Amino acid sequence: MPDDALDDARMLDLDVEQESPFLRGQKRVSVRRGSLPRKAATGLTWGLLALVVVFVCSAGVAALYHYGEHSWRFRIESSDNIEITGLQNVTRYQIMEVMGGDIGRNIFFVPLSARKQTLEKIPWVESASVMRFVPNRVRIEIHERTAVAFARVGSRILLIDSVGTLMELPAAGKKKYSFPVILGMNLNEPASTRAARMKIYNDLANQLDAGGAHYAQDLSEVDLSDAEDVKVLPSDAQGEVLVHLGSSNYLERYKVYVSHVREWRQQFDKLESVDLRYDRQIIVNPDLLGTVKQAPLSIASAKAAMAAGVKPAALITHQPTAPKSAPALTSVAKPPLKATSAKKAARKAHRRIAAKVTSTQIKSMAKSASPMAQSPSTTPPAPSTTGKTAPTTPPPTGAAVVKPSNKPSPAIVKGEDHP
């Protein structure tokens, strides 16, 4: 056998031996497994980490809280740590009455909301804001109310804003106003009632100042007691006149007064009031039947009112009354401005007594009188103090009597006599 054949046979045998007629399985490598799945282990790790972070943060917050609660750095030491802005008519003393209890207290324990509500109960304060600033400072911002008029309440004169809130006058000489005095306000009435009256006043002032007229600043008093009959008292060097303006058309009616007041003064010896409520009728002196007394102002209140700018005419302690009944309307298209009814003036002439005789004067005059004058049949009656009737005989010496004018005083309707 040739050598080449042997080599080929060996090679074939080797190839056969390398190829196995059976498939053998691969050798497996053993893996060590834990008690928890991988995802569960990962979640548990993150949870434990979060708990640690929360614990650390809580401990830090607790430490800071304990420090802030007990540290002297956060304590309001004195009133110098309370900053107040916006004060004009409100005094610092009024603010400290509210905030004084917080001096020495930790700044984090000051109830800001409660202090704000208490501050807004001060009449002059419209709104307030209270803020804390670390470490130990409190800031208070005050927004004050805006006064629009004076208000006579009992024996005092106060200031009032557009919604009817009554406020004390500022310190003497601190500020002066040029407001009229409003009558008809009461401390015991609901705030809504005063707000309704102030709505009428605001309408009146807006109408009188419309078109640049500025009539509102000439008023001394505004009587809002009757919503259907607003009465104003203009300032006039020749004498104040009470003007009835009704409940509408204030500017138009007031212009009638301004245009004819000089003419009325010439027609009547004494011009005290004018009723302009009726479209076809003007009534002069409808309030001569009596007066309604007001509580006199105290000396201190009068001085404070004058220092604040109240006009002297508004310091009088009485006001005329409204007429008992409204006259009937006539068919006259334009209200006449001249009195023509002398017959009515003769029937209803009003005599008024300008001075009262005291009991001491009557006794002294009775002692010096003659026996004839002291007899019961000839003793003159005491003068009337109501102003409704005139004495039939001359009054005692010392009593001044205003004689009735020959000119008519009440209704002045042309060509028509009213009973």
Side-chain angles (χ1 to χ4, degrees):
M1 181 181 284
D3 293 337
D4 293 337
L6 291 174
D7 292 336
D8 293 337
R10 291 174 182 174
M11 291 180 64
L12 291 171
D13 293 336
L14 288 174
D15 292 336
V16 172
E17 290 179 358
Q18 289 178 357
E19 294 180 1
S20 175
F22 304 101
L23 295 176
R24 298 178 181 178
Q26 299 291 331
K27 187 176 182 180
R28 297 181 180 182
V29 179
S30 62
V31 178
R32 193 179 219 177
R33 297 181 179 181
S35 59
L36 292 175
R38 180 178 296 179
K39 290 184 178 181
T42 303
L44 181 59
T45 302
W46 282 108
L48 291 175
L49 182 60
L51 287 176
V52 172
V53 173
V54 170
F55 175 78
V56 173
C57 293
S58 300
V61 170
L64 289 175
Y65 182 85
H66 184 270
Y67 175 75
E69 182 181 6
H70 296 90
S71 176
W72 58 271
R73 297 178 182 274
F74 303 102
R75 188 180 300 117
I76 302 175
E77 296 293 341
S78 66
S79 60
D80 295 335
N81 298 104
I82 300 177
E83 181 184 355
I84 307 173
T85 60
L87 297 185
Q88 294 183 359
N89 298 294
V90 180
T91 63
R92 183 177 177 85
Y93 174 77
Q94 290 176 299
I95 304 299
M96 293 310 301
E97 279 187 326
V98 178
M99 303 297 300
D102 295 321
I103 295 178
R105 178 176 295 175
N106 189 291
I107 191 173
F108 296 109
F109 293 94
V110 177
L112 302 184
S113 178
R115 296 295 179 264
K116 169 183 169 65
Q117 294 177 2
T118 305
L119 289 172
E120 290 178 349
K121 291 181 180 179
I122 300 175
W124 266 106
V125 178
E126 183 174 5
S127 63
S129 61
V130 184
M131 299 166 284
R132 64 167 63 95
F133 291 89
V134 177
N136 61 347
R137 189 165 58 92
V138 175
R139 179 182 176 88
I140 301 173
E141 294 181 357
I142 300 296
H143 180 66
E144 294 187 352
R145 299 182 184 275
T146 302
V148 298
F150 295 104
R152 184 161 181 168
V153 181
S155 60
R156 295 189 301 161
I157 290 183
L158 306 175
L159 284 166
I160 191 169
D161 69 350
S162 59
V163 296
T165 304
L166 296 170
M167 303 161 289
E168 294 290 340
L169 296 177
K174 185 176 181 180
K175 190 174 183 180
K176 298 194 71 172
Y177 304 92
S178 58
F179 299 144
V181 176
I182 296 178
L183 305 180
M185 296 295 177
N186 193 338
L187 281 175
N188 299 324
E189 63 188 357
S192 58
T193 303
R194 292 198 299 270
R197 291 199 180 104
M198 288 308 298
K199 186 176 181 180
I200 297 175
Y201 172 79
N202 295 331
D203 185 24
L204 170 69
N206 292 335
Q207 289 193 33
L208 293 184
D209 290 340
H214 301 295
Y215 287 128
Q217 64 184 5
D218 297 332
L219 303 181
S220 295
E221 285 183 354
V222 177
D223 190 349
L224 302 177
S225 302
D226 184 1
E228 299 299 324
D229 182 17
V230 176
K231 298 179 281 292
V232 299
L233 189 70
S235 298
D236 195 331
Q238 298 182 8
E240 287 74 20
V241 180
L242 187 68
V243 183
H244 297 253
L245 296 179
S247 59
S248 61
N249 300 328
Y250 301 124
L251 179 59
E252 179 183 350
R253 294 172 180 177
Y254 191 80
K255 284 183 176 180
V256 173
Y257 163 78
V258 173
S259 302
H260 300 95
V261 61
R262 182 176 299 179
E263 180 181 349
W264 292 333
R265 291 188 188 280
Q266 295 175 355
Q267 293 182 30
F268 300 92
D269 292 340
K270 183 67 173 179
L271 181 63
E272 293 190 354
S273 59
V274 178
D275 195 339
L276 303 175
R277 289 177 291 172
Y278 311 106
D279 294 336
R280 297 177 178 85
Q281 192 174 29
I282 296 176
I283 305 176
V284 177
N285 291 340
D287 304 310
L288 293 178
L289 298 180
T291 58
V292 173
K293 296 292 183 181
Q294 297 180 13
L297 293 174
S298 62
I299 297 177
S301 180
K303 290 182 178 179
M306 294 180 66
V310 176
K311 299 174 183 178
L315 301 177
I316 302 174
T317 59
H318 64 85
Q319 69 179 33
T321 59
K324 291 184 178 181
S325 59
L329 299 178
T330 65
S331 58
V332 180
K334 185 178 180 180
L337 300 176
K338 293 184 179 180
T340 58
S341 178
K343 182 178 180 182
K344 179 180 178 180
R347 291 200 308 264
K348 293 187 176 181
H350 296 283
R351 300 186 181 186
R352 307 187 65 189
I353 298 176
K356 298 180 181 180
V357 181
T358 63
S359 58
T360 304
Q361 292 174 327
I362 295 176
K363 291 180 180 179
S364 61
M365 288 185 293
K367 291 180 180 179
S368 60
S370 61
M372 188 71 168
Q374 295 178 7
S375 61
S377 60
T378 59
T379 301
S384 172
T385 59
T386 62
K388 294 183 179 181
T389 59
T392 56
T393 58
T397 305
V401 178
V402 180
K403 295 182 179 180
S405 172
N406 293 329
K407 299 176 181 179
S409 57
I412 53 174
V413 181
K414 185 176 181 180
E416 183 174 323
D417 291 339
H418 295 280

